[in-house]
Amino acid sequence: WMSTEAAQFLSEDGGQTWHDVPAAILAAEGGSFGGAVAELGDQGLVVVQTGMSTVWVSDDGGRSGRAFAVPGLGEGGTSAVSFADNEDGLALGEGSCAAFKPVTPPISFPLRPTAVAATRDGGASWQNVATVDMWGYGGLAYSQALAVVAATCAKGIATSTDGGHTWSYWRVPADLSGCQQPSISAATVAFSCPSYTAGATTLRLLVSQDGGEHWSVYELRGSGAQDVQGIVASGPGVLWAFGQATDEVWRSTDGGATWGAVELALPVRP
């Protein structure tokens, strides 16, 4: 799925050809969040986060779908949602970490854990299964092999191998503490980890190709590296990077070690 200034497009053959998104997806995107497709999956799965506590789920490629409410996540509603398949999904609420501001008098903010809700019936019903210590709107990605959360209070990531019921926390080096936007496809997981110093942006990737057992760190260099806005995992070892312009798309087939530019054959729009 790709959103451009001209229109939104879908590809079902790895980006070789593209077509308009179904009208049902566009209708679902009319919610208060402004219409971001949260996730695409195999078996025709499409997930759209349509509001503060609602999601729209399709299992036929977006031609039709059903809207569901995600209860019990607090006043902030749903901060992130991800489905492992057409039945199993996770949703996160909004959390906060304990903080201290050096003012007079001192101000402290208590830890407010983020609620984790799970569905096993495609979004029809949800059950709170755990809490995770997460700052603000941390990213979430979920597959049958692993669930991952970014922006934890310990400046790292959290992982779950039992469908979100229990979580392990992993503190990462300081230059990776800004990891965000997790993306997962089967056992391939990728985090975008930008750092900002002296007006320059350095983008590192935290990547696992075996469901979180081992991790590799890569730094994106060269032409276009400063323009990367996000990373998407789409298959075993296959990652896509995208910028803000239509021609700013790159692809890696070795888990992020090397990259090549991709020319998209998007339909022409007036």
Side-chain angles (χ1 to χ4, degrees):
W1 167 78
M2 176 169 287
S3 178
T4 74
E5 292 182 355
Q8 298 182 57
F9 306 99
L10 279 175
S11 175
E12 299 176 50
D13 55 11
Q16 298 300 313
T17 61
W18 297 80
H19 59 82
D20 293 334
V21 301
I25 293 181
L26 297 178
E29 290 180 342
S32 61
F33 268 59
V37 172
E39 196 161 68
L40 298 175
D42 55 12
Q43 304 175 34
L45 175 68
V46 179
V47 181
V48 180
Q49 192 167 337
T50 55
M52 292 295 291
S53 297
T54 56
V55 296
W56 183 86
V57 182
S58 171
D59 55 15
D60 62 3
R63 291 183 292 275
S64 64
R66 305 162 304 283
F68 298 116
V70 186
L73 294 180
E75 295 181 357
T78 304
S79 68
V81 61
S82 183
F83 275 65
D85 53 37
N86 288 31
E87 300 295 327
D88 300 319
L90 292 176
L92 297 179
E94 180 186 359
S96 64
C97 301
F100 179 81
K101 284 190 174 182
V103 297
T104 303
I107 301 175
S108 63
F109 300 94
L111 173 69
R112 187 180 65 200
T114 297
V116 181
T119 180
R120 299 291 178 260
D121 54 14
S125 62
W126 296 81
Q127 178 184 7
N128 281 28
V129 295
T131 59
V132 61
D133 294 341
M134 184 189 76
W135 175 260
Y137 290 91
L140 167 70
Y142 180 34
S143 75
Q144 289 291 359
L146 187 72
V148 294
V149 166
T152 68
C153 295
K155 294 184 178 179
I157 63 175
T159 61
S160 173
T161 57
D162 59 3
H165 286 75
T166 59
W167 294 84
S168 298
Y169 293 89
W170 306 92
R171 191 176 181 89
V172 298
D175 58 356
L176 297 176
S177 62
C179 288
Q180 58 191 6
Q181 300 179 0
S183 181
I184 191 168
S185 178
T188 298
V189 191
F191 286 89
S192 172
C193 307
S195 60
Y196 308 96
T197 55
T201 301
T202 301
L203 180 59
R204 295 178 178 86
L205 306 181
L206 181 62
V207 181
S208 174
Q209 297 190 62
D210 54 12
E213 292 292 329
H214 303 88
W215 295 88
S216 300
V217 178
Y218 302 106
E219 182 174 326
L220 290 191
R221 299 175 178 271
S223 176
Q226 296 293 317
D227 300 320
V228 174
Q229 302 294 304
I231 306 294
V232 177
S234 68
V238 178
L239 303 177
W240 298 74
F242 60 90
Q244 291 184 326
T246 300
D247 59 349
E248 293 178 341
V249 180
W250 303 269
R251 184 171 184 257
S252 172
T253 58
D254 53 13
T258 60
W259 294 82
V262 177
E263 183 176 351
L264 298 176
L266 293 173
V268 176
R269 287 289 180 273

